[in-house]
Amino acid sequence: MSRLLLVPLEDVVVFPTMNLTLTVDVGDEQRVLLVPRHESAFASVGTVADVSDRVRLPGGGRAVVLNGLHRGVAGAAHTAPDGRLYVEVEDHPDDEPVDGRTRELEREYRAVVEELLELRGDDGRIQAFVRAISEPGTLADTAGYSPDISFEQKVELLETLDVTERLALAVKLQRERLAELQVRRRIREDVESGAERQQREWFLRRQMDSIRKELGEDDASVVEEYRAKIEAAGMPEAVREQAEKELGRLERMGEQSGEASMIRSYLDWLIAVPWSRRSQERLDPVHAREVLDRDHAGLEDVKERIAEYLAVRKLRAERGLDVSRAGDRNRSPSRDVTASGAILTLIGPPGTGKTSIGESIARATGREFVRMSLGGVRDEAEIRGHRRTYIGALPGRLVRALRDAGTMNPVIMLDEVDKVGADWRGDPSAALLEVLDPAQNHSFRDHYLDVELDLSHVLFIATANVAETIPGPLLDRMEVIRFDGYTTAEKVAIARGYLWPRQLERNGLRPEEASISDELLQTVVTEYTREAGVRQLERELGTLLRKAATGIASGRVTAPVQLDLDAVREALGRQKHFQEAAIRTAVPGVATGLAVTGTGGDVLFVEAVRMPGERKDALVLTGQLGDVMKESARIALSYVRGHAEELGVPDGATDGEFHVHVPAGAIPKDGPSAGVTMVTALASLLSGRPVRHTVGMTGEVTLQGRVLPIGGVKQKVLAAHAAGLTDVILPERNRGDLDDVPADVREQMTFHFAMSVDEVLAVALEPARAHAAA
């Protein structure tokens, strides 16, 4: 413990090994304690310094040269008679730890300092100074030389007496400084590179302007080029005025303006629309029918509608009734029906040819064909386009379709219109209301182009699988043509005329290298497919021909290959679909019903059993039945109980619990048309009379036993025909719907029309005598 003169340093920190000159009078003292001070607050640790020299300054002042020795902890203070402040000082020279952590911190500190000096552009002298320091305490004190470390951080470093901890603190401070310098360097480099890039772009643009002037391609020539394109586009007057207005803006702004590219894009889209170009229609209904018959089997409704459309157009053209709307601007749009294009909606199961017939219609009418897939579209801007205020705005799909077609009267197919969605961005189906309304689509306005487009010459064909998901107002604007599927004979004809040749080509086979009989085609249709369309049938034929192609390519067989039943079984495996009505209905309590699904018509079985129980009104329903179908089952049970005597049901047979099940329990089912099937199953169960295995039925039933009409007659009859049923029971009021059923199917089946349940049971149930004898 020593007694030293205290020399306060205002906002200055002196570390050991530092040399400095102070203009203070220390008298005859040889050692002093240099203590940092900030606003009258002293640090607890100072630096013990030797007075190595005394200097007299001009004017009579005094100065001393001090050399820092080591740290000293200040203790009690005393004031001398001459007013000087002395303190008791505990000397605290640095020790030299030899542990591994200190050595690791030394290496890290040196590395950080070297990186710092490199960023600052040191010439190597400071790095040499740092390398020459061997004591860890002195090395840590070099952080005090940094001008970027604050007074408080230097005081903290001075007051850290433990050498290892001080070295760790110095590493932390220098790392923070290094990170700050690196960020500053990156910012400086980014700014410099940005400035250089702008200068380079400016220089290159000036060169480009000079080159374009020499070639005669300056702004004036670009504007003239656009003006010539606008003249040649044949735009309506209002559209031309808008185009010239935008062209004038481009001319005033010049190519250097930031908005110039947006104006050029807008003008490019205006010019891309085929305002004055139209396909030369072939108004020949006979030729159109020949083309449609050649491309598609069946589909009589849509073929007749296209023939009618062309016949009407032909008559109006021959009699001078087709006057263009542009030629008579005083005509009321609502009265001008001459230019209205047809809007057809084809609704039916998948694979029935809805999409492919659009191309055939375009070819038959001599128009261009464009397909717009709307499945999953949820943004209204997909139809109407984005407003030009948005970055990257584009016209809607209709404008793009007209551009792709190159004419204003193409055939545009709106595919999967029933799968259009809606969310916070808007409802695309609402935008389609104007497009598909003949009274409005002559003045359709795209948000991007913001000019009127005449869509009245377009032939729109929409496709959908179900009508229930199409909004009512949109469906009201459509002329619906239903595709109810193909008969077995039609599928065989399609397979022979279309699918088989296409699969031969896809599998690399010539027509003479593989052949199949119509009988085998019918076997594939009935035993390996159960669908309204022909997609699965085409896949099965593709499998057959791949097997044949593999055999020919590997040399196992030689062409030509005649496919037989064994080859079909080997390629397609065991039979997948069976005529099981006879097996299912062999016991009382099972009836065969007819239903319509999203993939066409189908056959379903209704099974009923009676169980002893105390509750007389208990009814168990299984098979994922909807609410309407559950009500039909309760109505059927109530009717059978109320008419037990008429139905020949023994006394007491209607007591107990009943269980009604509709198989294929994984598939949800609903609708009222299974009412007569449920009544028949319960009546069969309680009377002991099985249902005839050749009979299928459909119809809604009431508590009074009346049979009400239902929908989907054609699809249900086709499903019954495919399942091998020969008798179909239908409501009397559905008699007229048989006209939609193909004639060959009507000839092969017997139809029974019923007004009441009694008439249904008379046909459906086996006679009581025959059952008793059996």
Side-chain angles (χ1 to χ4, degrees):
M1 185 77 71
S2 58
R3 183 171 175 268
L4 298 176
L5 175 66
L6 186 145
V7 178
L9 302 176
E10 193 69 31
D11 293 335
V12 176
V13 181
V14 176
F15 288 88
T17 71
M18 282 188 178
N19 300 324
L20 75 160
T21 301
L22 295 177
T23 57
V24 296
D25 185 7
V26 297
D28 296 330
E29 300 292 335
Q30 295 300 316
R31 282 191 177 186
V32 295
L33 181 66
L34 305 176
V35 179
R37 181 178 67 180
H38 178 69
E39 297 179 354
S40 72
F42 291 87
S44 60
V45 177
T47 300
V48 177
D50 266 344
V51 180
S52 61
D53 196 7
R54 290 174 170 82
V55 180
R56 185 176 296 275
L57 300 174
R62 293 176 179 272
V64 293
V65 179
L66 303 173
N67 296 326
L69 299 178
H70 53 262
R71 283 168 172 77
V73 181
H78 308 282
T79 304
D82 57 359
R84 295 179 179 176
L85 185 63
Y86 289 86
V87 294
E88 300 293 333
V89 179
E90 179 184 353
D91 293 335
H92 202 289
D94 290 338
D95 54 1
E96 293 190 11
V98 294
D99 59 308
R101 181 168 180 261
T102 305
R103 294 195 187 96
E104 182 64 30
L105 288 171
E106 279 189 64
R107 287 193 293 270
E108 186 176 359
Y109 182 82
R110 294 179 191 277
V112 172
V113 169
E114 286 185 4
E115 193 169 351
L116 265 172
L117 295 174
E118 184 180 349
L119 285 175
R120 288 181 175 277
D122 177 49
D123 59 0
R125 289 180 294 176
I126 300 178
Q127 291 187 18
F129 168 73
V130 174
R131 291 195 198 99
I133 300 173
S134 58
E135 295 83 4
T138 306
L139 184 65
D141 289 341
T142 58
Y145 289 97
S146 175
D148 301 311
I149 295 179
S150 66
F151 172 78
E152 290 78 9
Q153 291 172 332
K154 291 180 179 181
V155 171
E156 182 184 2
L157 189 66
L158 180 66
E159 291 179 344
T160 305
L161 301 178
D162 183 83
V163 173
T164 303
E165 295 301 324
R166 190 193 315 155
L167 197 55
L169 177 60
V171 170
K172 175 188 172 186
L173 295 176
Q174 298 290 37
R175 278 203 172 280
E176 291 175 355
R177 183 62 194 140
L178 175 62
E180 184 180 349
L181 284 177
Q182 288 174 337
V183 170
R184 286 185 181 178
R185 181 181 183 180
R186 283 199 298 271
I187 293 174
R188 185 174 63 253
E189 289 176 350
D190 290 345
V191 171
E192 291 175 354
S193 63
E196 291 175 358
R197 185 169 59 252
Q198 289 179 354
Q199 292 175 356
R200 180 171 175 272
E201 288 181 358
W202 182 86
F203 180 72
L204 291 175
R205 287 187 184 280
R206 290 302 176 193
Q207 283 188 327
M208 189 185 304
D209 291 343
S210 300
I211 294 172
R212 289 174 61 186
K213 272 186 179 177
E214 292 296 329
L215 295 175
E217 297 177 358
D218 55 351
D219 290 351
S221 62
V222 171
V223 171
E224 290 302 322
E225 181 182 351
Y226 272 112
R227 186 166 284 116
K229 289 180 178 179
I230 292 172
E231 288 287 341
M235 300 177 179
E237 188 64 30
V239 180
R240 180 173 177 174
E241 289 177 2
Q242 176 70 12
E244 291 179 347
K245 177 182 175 183
E246 293 295 326
L247 185 60
R249 289 181 60 204
L250 178 64
E251 190 173 12
R252 289 190 298 272
M253 288 181 178
E255 283 293 322
Q256 305 305 320
S257 171
E259 199 176 349
S261 62
M262 298 175 60
I263 298 176
R264 292 187 64 172
S265 297
Y266 177 75
L267 290 174
D268 288 338
W269 276 107
L270 273 182
I271 295 169
V273 176
W275 300 100
S276 59
R277 294 192 293 275
R278 286 176 174 78
S279 299
Q280 186 64 39
E281 279 189 282
R282 182 167 183 175
L283 303 177
D284 185 353
V286 177
H287 168 75
R289 185 59 190 257
E290 291 175 355
V291 173
L292 295 175
D293 286 339
R294 186 167 60 248
D295 291 348
H296 290 81
L299 308 180
E300 295 298 322
D301 292 343
V302 67
K303 293 177 181 178
E304 290 179 5
R305 181 62 184 86
I306 295 301
E308 292 168 0
Y309 169 75
L310 292 177
V312 172
R313 291 294 305 274
K314 180 179 181 181
L315 288 177
R316 297 189 69 88
E318 291 175 350
R319 298 172 183 182
L321 299 177
D322 275 339
V323 180
S324 172
R325 182 179 287 109
D328 187 0
R329 299 189 180 276
N330 295 322
R331 174 175 296 184
S332 170
S334 61
R335 296 176 58 86
D336 186 7
V337 296
T338 60
S340 297
I343 300 171
L344 308 180
T345 301
L346 314 178
I347 299 179
T352 52
K354 300 183 299 298
T355 303
S356 61
I357 200 170
E359 297 184 32
S360 297
I361 292 173
R363 190 161 54 253
T365 57
R367 299 186 179 209
E368 298 296 327
F369 176 78
V370 183
R371 175 177 170 271
M372 286 173 50
S373 179
L374 300 180
V377 173
R378 310 182 69 86
D379 189 356
E380 181 233 359
E382 290 282 339
I383 306 298
R384 287 188 174 274
H386 299 83
R387 298 195 181 277
R388 292 170 58 196
T389 52
Y390 297 107
I391 299 297
L394 285 173
R397 291 196 179 192
L398 283 169
V399 174
R400 283 178 270 172
L402 292 176
R403 178 202 62 184
D404 295 342
T407 66
M408 292 297 287
N409 62 338
V411 175
I412 295 182
M413 171 156 284
L414 307 176
D415 213 5
E416 310 293 353
V417 74
D418 59 327
K419 299 175 180 61
V420 174
D423 59 11
W424 56 270
R425 291 169 292 186
D427 187 356
S429 62
L432 287 173
L433 292 178
E434 180 184 0
V435 175
L436 299 182
D437 190 343
Q440 302 180 41
N441 64 6
H442 65 277
S443 59
F444 174 76
R445 186 176 289 268
D446 184 87
H447 284 163
Y448 180 82
L449 296 182
D450 201 25
V451 294
E452 290 187 356
L453 280 168
D454 187 0
L455 302 179
S456 61
H457 299 276
V458 177
L459 174 56
F460 287 103
I461 300 176
T463 70
N465 294 129
V466 292
E468 287 74 15
T469 56
I470 303 176
L474 183 59
L475 188 63
D476 183 60
R477 287 162 165 79
M478 300 173 172
E479 180 180 347
V480 175
I481 300 176
R482 296 193 176 272
F483 282 35
D484 295 318
Y486 299 106
T487 65
T488 301
E490 287 175 338
K491 289 182 180 180
V492 172
I494 292 172
R496 173 64 66 192
Y498 304 94
L499 307 183
W500 183 260
R502 185 160 63 195
Q503 287 300 320
L504 281 172
E505 181 181 356
R506 288 182 179 177
N507 290 282
L509 295 174
R510 300 188 183 92
E512 67 273 8
E513 288 182 324
S515 59
I516 188 172
S517 64
D518 288 348
E519 291 75 14
L520 272 183
L521 285 176
Q522 184 170 352
T523 300
V524 174
V525 170
T526 56
E527 297 185 5
Y528 291 92
T529 66
R530 183 68 60 85
E531 58 178 347
V534 292
R535 282 190 181 144
Q536 183 62 32
L537 174 60
E538 184 170 11
R539 282 192 284 268
E540 301 294 350
L541 294 180
T543 302
L544 277 173
L545 288 174
R546 282 197 303 274
K547 297 290 185 182
T550 303
I552 294 174
S554 61
R556 294 198 309 267
V557 296
T558 57
V561 176
Q562 176 65 41
L563 297 176
D564 54 13
L565 184 59
D566 293 337
V568 171
R569 298 288 188 221
E570 180 183 355
L572 304 183
R574 59 181 179 81
Q575 183 177 347
K576 298 177 182 178
H577 301 284
F578 300 88
Q579 310 289 353
E580 52 185 350
I583 303 173
R584 289 285 191 95
T585 59
V587 296
V590 181
T592 307
L594 304 174
V596 175
T597 67
T599 58
D602 201 359
V603 173
L604 57 84
F605 298 93
V606 176
E607 302 174 345
V609 296
R610 175 179 172 274
M611 302 169 291
E614 297 180 357
R615 293 182 58 188
K616 296 185 178 181
D617 60 344
L619 176 62
V620 179
L621 301 171
T622 56
Q624 277 210 66
L625 308 184
D627 292 339
V628 177
M629 207 164 182
K630 290 178 181 178
E631 292 174 357
S632 297
R634 295 187 180 278
I635 291 171
L637 181 58
S638 298
Y639 176 83
V640 172
R641 279 178 168 161
H643 299 77
E645 185 176 352
E646 303 172 16
L647 299 176
V649 177
D651 294 338
T654 58
D655 298 338
E657 299 181 4
F658 289 87
H659 186 165
V660 176
H661 175 64
V662 182
I667 303 174
K669 312 168 191 69
D670 203 2
S673 64
V676 296
T677 312
M678 291 180 172
V679 171
T680 304
L682 289 169
S684 169
L685 172 70
L686 297 177
S687 65
R689 298 163 60 189
V691 178
R692 293 170 57 195
H693 67 273
T694 60
V695 174
M697 63 199 74
T698 181
E700 182 180 356
V701 71
T702 69
L703 275 175
Q704 300 300 321
R706 297 190 62 81
V707 180
L708 302 182
I710 43 79
V713 171
K714 180 180 178 182
Q715 296 182 17
K716 293 176 179 179
V717 171
L718 293 179
H721 179 260
L725 303 178
T726 58
D727 294 82
V728 175
I729 301 175
L730 297 171
E732 175 64 35
R733 288 168 59 183
N734 285 115
R735 183 186 292 269
D737 294 328
L738 277 186
D739 295 340
D740 298 332
V741 179
D744 59 327
V745 175
R746 294 200 304 267
E747 293 172 0
Q748 297 176 34
M749 305 185 73
T750 303
F751 298 94
H752 307 271
F753 300 96
M755 290 287 291
S756 65
V757 171
D758 295 339
E759 299 175 12
V760 173
L761 298 179
V763 175
L765 298 181
E766 294 281 2
R769 296 188 306 276
H771 176 61

PDB file of all heavy atoms in Angstrom, residues 236-247:
ATOM      1  N   PRO A 236     -62.383  -0.347 -84.185  1.00  0.00           N
ATOM      2  CA  PRO A 236     -63.556   0.540 -84.154  1.00  0.00           C
ATOM      3  C   PRO A 236     -63.135   1.953 -83.771  1.00  0.00           C
ATOM      4  O   PRO A 236     -62.059   2.170 -83.211  1.00  0.00           O
ATOM      5  CB  PRO A 236     -64.440  -0.094 -83.067  1.00  0.00           C
ATOM      6  CG  PRO A 236     -63.986  -1.515 -82.977  1.00  0.00           C
ATOM      7  CD  PRO A 236     -62.527  -1.503 -83.298  1.00  0.00           C
ATOM      8  N   GLU A 237     -64.008   2.915 -84.048  1.00  0.00           N
ATOM      9  CA  GLU A 237     -63.643   4.317 -83.876  1.00  0.00           C
ATOM     10  C   GLU A 237     -63.241   4.636 -82.437  1.00  0.00           C
ATOM     11  O   GLU A 237     -62.240   5.307 -82.183  1.00  0.00           O
ATOM     12  CB  GLU A 237     -64.814   5.210 -84.308  1.00  0.00           C
ATOM     13  CG  GLU A 237     -64.483   6.689 -84.363  1.00  0.00           C
ATOM     14  CD  GLU A 237     -63.420   6.999 -85.412  1.00  0.00           C
ATOM     15  OE1 GLU A 237     -63.366   6.270 -86.431  1.00  0.00           O
ATOM     16  OE2 GLU A 237     -62.650   7.946 -85.200  1.00  0.00           O
ATOM     17  N   ALA A 238     -64.023   4.138 -81.456  1.00  0.00           N
ATOM     18  CA  ALA A 238     -63.731   4.443 -80.052  1.00  0.00           C
ATOM     19  C   ALA A 238     -62.400   3.833 -79.632  1.00  0.00           C
ATOM     20  O   ALA A 238     -61.604   4.458 -78.907  1.00  0.00           O
ATOM     21  CB  ALA A 238     -64.859   3.940 -79.161  1.00  0.00           C
ATOM     22  N   VAL A 239     -62.135   2.630 -80.091  1.00  0.00           N
ATOM     23  CA  VAL A 239     -60.875   1.972 -79.740  1.00  0.00           C
ATOM     24  C   VAL A 239     -59.703   2.690 -80.396  1.00  0.00           C
ATOM     25  O   VAL A 239     -58.642   2.869 -79.787  1.00  0.00           O
ATOM     26  CB  VAL A 239     -60.914   0.490 -80.160  1.00  0.00           C
ATOM     27  CG1 VAL A 239     -59.608  -0.206 -79.804  1.00  0.00           C
ATOM     28  CG2 VAL A 239     -62.083  -0.217 -79.500  1.00  0.00           C
ATOM     29  N   ARG A 240     -59.900   3.130 -81.626  1.00  0.00           N
ATOM     30  CA  ARG A 240     -58.820   3.838 -82.319  1.00  0.00           C
ATOM     31  C   ARG A 240     -58.494   5.156 -81.628  1.00  0.00           C
ATOM     32  O   ARG A 240     -57.320   5.534 -81.502  1.00  0.00           O
ATOM     33  CB  ARG A 240     -59.226   4.075 -83.777  1.00  0.00           C
ATOM     34  CG  ARG A 240     -58.171   4.796 -84.578  1.00  0.00           C
ATOM     35  CD  ARG A 240     -58.537   4.847 -86.028  1.00  0.00           C
ATOM     36  NE  ARG A 240     -57.557   5.593 -86.808  1.00  0.00           N
ATOM     37  CZ  ARG A 240     -57.564   5.703 -88.113  1.00  0.00           C
ATOM     38  NH1 ARG A 240     -58.512   5.103 -88.802  1.00  0.00           N
ATOM     39  NH2 ARG A 240     -56.653   6.394 -88.745  1.00  0.00           N
ATOM     40  N   GLU A 241     -59.506   5.852 -81.161  1.00  0.00           N
ATOM     41  CA  GLU A 241     -59.258   7.105 -80.433  1.00  0.00           C
ATOM     42  C   GLU A 241     -58.450   6.842 -79.164  1.00  0.00           C
ATOM     43  O   GLU A 241     -57.534   7.607 -78.837  1.00  0.00           O
ATOM     44  CB  GLU A 241     -60.590   7.770 -80.086  1.00  0.00           C
ATOM     45  CG  GLU A 241     -61.321   8.345 -81.290  1.00  0.00           C
ATOM     46  CD  GLU A 241     -62.663   8.937 -80.900  1.00  0.00           C
ATOM     47  OE1 GLU A 241     -62.982   8.920 -79.676  1.00  0.00           O
ATOM     48  OE2 GLU A 241     -63.387   9.415 -81.787  1.00  0.00           O
ATOM     49  N   GLN A 242     -58.792   5.769 -78.455  1.00  0.00           N
ATOM     50  CA  GLN A 242     -58.043   5.427 -77.240  1.00  0.00           C
ATOM     51  C   GLN A 242     -56.593   5.083 -77.576  1.00  0.00           C
ATOM     52  O   GLN A 242     -55.658   5.502 -76.878  1.00  0.00           O
ATOM     53  CB  GLN A 242     -58.717   4.236 -76.534  1.00  0.00           C
ATOM     54  CG  GLN A 242     -57.995   3.718 -75.304  1.00  0.00           C
ATOM     55  CD  GLN A 242     -58.042   4.670 -74.135  1.00  0.00           C
ATOM     56  OE1 GLN A 242     -58.805   5.637 -74.158  1.00  0.00           O
ATOM     57  NE2 GLN A 242     -57.223   4.424 -73.130  1.00  0.00           N
ATOM     58  N   ALA A 243     -56.378   4.330 -78.646  1.00  0.00           N
ATOM     59  CA  ALA A 243     -55.021   3.960 -79.042  1.00  0.00           C
ATOM     60  C   ALA A 243     -54.206   5.191 -79.424  1.00  0.00           C
ATOM     61  O   ALA A 243     -53.035   5.323 -79.046  1.00  0.00           O
ATOM     62  CB  ALA A 243     -55.068   2.964 -80.200  1.00  0.00           C
ATOM     63  N   GLU A 244     -54.797   6.104 -80.193  1.00  0.00           N
ATOM     64  CA  GLU A 244     -54.073   7.304 -80.593  1.00  0.00           C
ATOM     65  C   GLU A 244     -53.793   8.208 -79.394  1.00  0.00           C
ATOM     66  O   GLU A 244     -52.762   8.886 -79.344  1.00  0.00           O
ATOM     67  CB  GLU A 244     -54.873   8.050 -81.650  1.00  0.00           C
ATOM     68  CG  GLU A 244     -54.918   7.298 -82.988  1.00  0.00           C
ATOM     69  CD  GLU A 244     -55.748   8.041 -84.023  1.00  0.00           C
ATOM     70  OE1 GLU A 244     -56.470   8.982 -83.621  1.00  0.00           O
ATOM     71  OE2 GLU A 244     -55.678   7.667 -85.205  1.00  0.00           O
ATOM     72  N   LYS A 245     -54.687   8.220 -78.431  1.00  0.00           N
ATOM     73  CA  LYS A 245     -54.451   8.998 -77.214  1.00  0.00           C
ATOM     74  C   LYS A 245     -53.231   8.480 -76.464  1.00  0.00           C
ATOM     75  O   LYS A 245     -52.357   9.246 -76.036  1.00  0.00           O
ATOM     76  CB  LYS A 245     -55.694   8.941 -76.335  1.00  0.00           C
ATOM     77  CG  LYS A 245     -55.551   9.657 -75.004  1.00  0.00           C
ATOM     78  CD  LYS A 245     -56.823   9.498 -74.176  1.00  0.00           C
ATOM     79  CE  LYS A 245     -56.647  10.098 -72.795  1.00  0.00           C
ATOM     80  NZ  LYS A 245     -57.868   9.894 -71.948  1.00  0.00           N
ATOM     81  N   GLU A 246     -53.148   7.161 -76.293  1.00  0.00           N
ATOM     82  CA  GLU A 246     -51.998   6.560 -75.609  1.00  0.00           C
ATOM     83  C   GLU A 246     -50.726   6.752 -76.436  1.00  0.00           C
ATOM     84  O   GLU A 246     -49.642   6.958 -75.876  1.00  0.00           O
ATOM     85  CB  GLU A 246     -52.245   5.068 -75.356  1.00  0.00           C
ATOM     86  CG  GLU A 246     -53.366   4.783 -74.367  1.00  0.00           C
ATOM     87  CD  GLU A 246     -53.043   5.295 -72.966  1.00  0.00           C
ATOM     88  OE1 GLU A 246     -51.846   5.255 -72.587  1.00  0.00           O
ATOM     89  OE2 GLU A 246     -53.965   5.751 -72.270  1.00  0.00           O
ATOM     90  N   LEU A 247     -50.849   6.689 -77.749  1.00  0.00           N
ATOM     91  CA  LEU A 247     -49.674   6.896 -78.600  1.00  0.00           C
ATOM     92  C   LEU A 247     -49.158   8.329 -78.460  1.00  0.00           C
ATOM     93  O   LEU A 247     -47.937   8.564 -78.450  1.00  0.00           O
ATOM     94  CB  LEU A 247     -50.027   6.580 -80.052  1.00  0.00           C
ATOM     95  CG  LEU A 247     -48.875   6.640 -81.057  1.00  0.00           C
ATOM     96  CD1 LEU A 247     -47.788   5.644 -80.682  1.00  0.00           C
ATOM     97  CD2 LEU A 247     -49.389   6.364 -82.474  1.00  0.00           C
TER      98      LEU A 247
END
